[in-house]
Amino acid sequence: GDSVTQMEGPVTLSEEAFLTINCTYTATGYPSLFWYVQYPGEGLQLLLKATKADDKGSNKGFEATYRKETTSFHLEKGSVQVSDSAVYFCALTDGGYQKVTFGIGTKLQVIP
Amino acid sequence: DAGVIQSPRHEVTEMGQEVTLRCKPISGHNSLFWYRQTMMRGLELLIYFNNNVPIDDSGMPEDRFSAKMPNASFSTLKIQPSEPRDSAVYFCASSLQGGNTEAFFGQGTRLTVV
């Protein structure tokens, strides 16, 4: 079945540091890929997405590129802020029902 | 649209009691998902519906769990009888089938069984 593997956290960074959270996937067919973010006490929000190979999703300074050859969708941001502290989930949908398969989530803490 | 609406936001109940969680999906969406989130297991898909029909309930942990979707605008997840290990945050999400669009999540119901 489909699966998503992402680096386990927590990840602690100083403000303005560079962020990378690795994500790889296994899927039959051609999945769409997503990064969701969960702030404390809230539900999941879509951060960015990519629906086909070589697409780059971007939002709020975050970027991720759909790499079919390496089955990866790594999340990056050039300069993190304290307000970016949250849990980040890599996910995919495959097939008509849009069932979302999530990675385990990576907690990011940014310190001033 | 107000987004996916879940109720209650918090529920505290005693072991053995019946618990019902409610979800109103986004109007026009035809897929609905129930997830459970715990520290130990992360996000688990419990069940999902398409056009009000259950498609896959293989994630439902036990027969104590049941879910229904009587119409396109309402779904329930019921636990009877509840146990302390059911304590978790339960999320409902909805999406539009076939559109390569994302799932939209509700704010979740934090369930505590004492």
Side-chain angles (χ1 to χ4, degrees):
Chain A
D2 298 343
S3 67
V4 175
T5 303
Q6 64 181 106
M7 56 189 294
E8 294 199 29
V11 174
T12 301
L13 295 174
S14 297
E15 206 165 21
E16 300 184 2
F18 185 85
L19 169 71
T20 300
I21 301 178
N22 291 335
C23 171
T24 58
Y25 67 90
T26 302
T28 55
Y30 301 95
S32 294
L33 302 176
F34 304 86
W35 278 98
Y36 282 83
V37 60
Q38 184 179 31
Y39 298 101
E42 297 186 11
L44 281 75
Q45 305 171 27
L46 179 70
L47 180 60
L48 53 84
K49 69 178 182 181
T51 58
K52 61 182 187 300
D54 300 325
D55 269 3
K56 177 186 283 187
S58 62
N59 186 27
K60 300 181 180 179
F62 290 89
E63 293 183 340
T65 300
Y66 191 142
R67 301 287 188 199
K68 192 170 185 294
E69 64 276 15
T70 55
T71 62
S72 65
F73 193 54
H74 305 321
L75 182 69
E76 296 182 339
K77 186 174 185 182
S79 176
V80 294
Q81 305 301 312
V82 172
S83 57
D84 294 327
S85 298
V87 181
Y88 293 82
F89 292 89
C90 186
L92 65 81
T93 62
D94 195 13
Y97 295 120
Q98 303 299 108
K99 182 183 75 168
V100 186
T101 299
F102 286 94
I104 197 166
T106 302
K107 184 175 182 179
L108 171 65
Q109 182 177 14
V110 180
I111 56 177
Chain B
D1 200 312
V4 177
I5 300 173
Q6 291 186 245
S7 64
R9 289 293 309 275
H10 302 274
E11 177 79 37
V12 180
T13 190
E14 292 185 346
M15 182 174 61
Q17 296 298 304
E18 176 180 296
V19 175
T20 299
L21 312 181
R22 297 173 176 81
C23 175
K24 181 181 184 329
I26 290 174
S27 177
H29 283 186
N30 57 0
S31 289
L32 183 138
F33 311 86
W34 282 100
Y35 288 86
R36 179 172 68 176
Q37 185 178 35
T38 61
M39 288 292 291
M40 294 297 294
R41 302 172 70 92
L43 271 166
E44 304 172 275
L45 177 64
L46 301 178
I47 185 171
Y48 66 98
F49 297 83
N50 182 255
N51 292 325
N52 313 337
V53 176
I55 302 301
D56 185 351
D57 65 354
S58 60
M60 297 285 260
E62 301 173 33
D63 291 346
R64 298 183 296 106
F65 286 70
S66 62
K68 294 181 180 179
M69 192 164 186
N71 57 62
S73 59
F74 184 65
S75 177
T76 59
L77 178 68
K78 184 178 294 185
I79 308 172
Q80 164 63 17
S82 58
E83 297 183 2
R85 59 196 167 115
D86 302 330
S87 297
V89 181
Y90 291 81
F91 288 104
C92 175
S94 70
S95 69
L96 185 61
Q97 177 192 359
N100 270 335
T101 59
E102 67 271 23
F104 292 80
F105 281 74
Q107 294 286 81
T109 296
R110 180 174 295 276
L111 173 65
T112 304
V113 183
V114 298

